[in-house]
Amino acid sequence: MKRKLPYLLPLLLVFASGCLTDKNNAPTPANAPEGTFAGKFKFTHIHAQTGAVDSATANIQLKMETATGFQVTGDTSTVHAGSYGSYIVSTPYSNVDFIDHTYPTTGVPAKNHLNGVYTYSYDGTTLQLVAYGAFDTLSYYYNLKKIGN
């Protein structure tokens, strides 16, 4: 037993040293987007039977303020609706849940609305939002640059 102790002691010290340091292995939360952004919205639809891809784009402006909510303006004449509402950012998961107060309560809206949960990427300048619709045949992309606070 005395012969095994010198070999066992360094091994125990190695394992014990791992407990002494304070390591924070939690992921770094993403920056929460806030300010005024401008850029392209792209809507893509893949036809389930034919596989044909339809898409449409619009230049929009998105204003996001924690205290007052969000507002969509810009080219809202055909593809994207001008709208406003509130939003909740989940930074650990990089999600934004937009609650559009102009979204119709019945029927299908004629234009796309910024409504529902979107995955986002934000580096302080570029904000990208992505969401997928029914059966992954619909996709919504926002590629925006910060233009103001």
Side-chain angles (χ1 to χ4, degrees), residues 24-33 89-95 120-124:
N24 184 3
N25 292 330
T28 305
N31 296 330
V89 177
S90 174
T91 52
Y93 304 106
S94 297
N95 289 332
Y120 78 91
S121 170
Y122 180 55
D123 64 5

Side-chain angles (χ1 to χ4, degrees), residues 12-35:
L12 288 173
L13 288 174
V14 169
F15 287 124
S17 68
C19 297
L20 296 175
T21 59
D22 182 24
K23 295 181 181 177
N24 184 3
N25 292 330
T28 305
N31 296 330
E34 193 167 351

Side-chain angles (χ1 to χ4, degrees), residues 86-140:
S86 56
Y87 67 94
I88 302 166
V89 177
S90 174
T91 52
Y93 304 106
S94 297
N95 289 332
V96 183
D97 187 1
F98 291 96
I99 301 101
D100 187 342
H101 297 168
T102 66
Y103 196 85
T105 57
T106 60
V108 178
K111 301 178 200 173
N112 294 293
H113 284 253
L114 184 57
N115 191 54
V117 177
Y118 288 76
T119 301
Y120 78 91
S121 170
Y122 180 55
D123 64 5
T125 303
T126 302
L127 172 63
Q128 295 176 324
L129 300 163
V130 178
Y132 299 99
F135 308 110
D136 291 336
T137 61
L138 303 173
S139 55
Y140 309 92

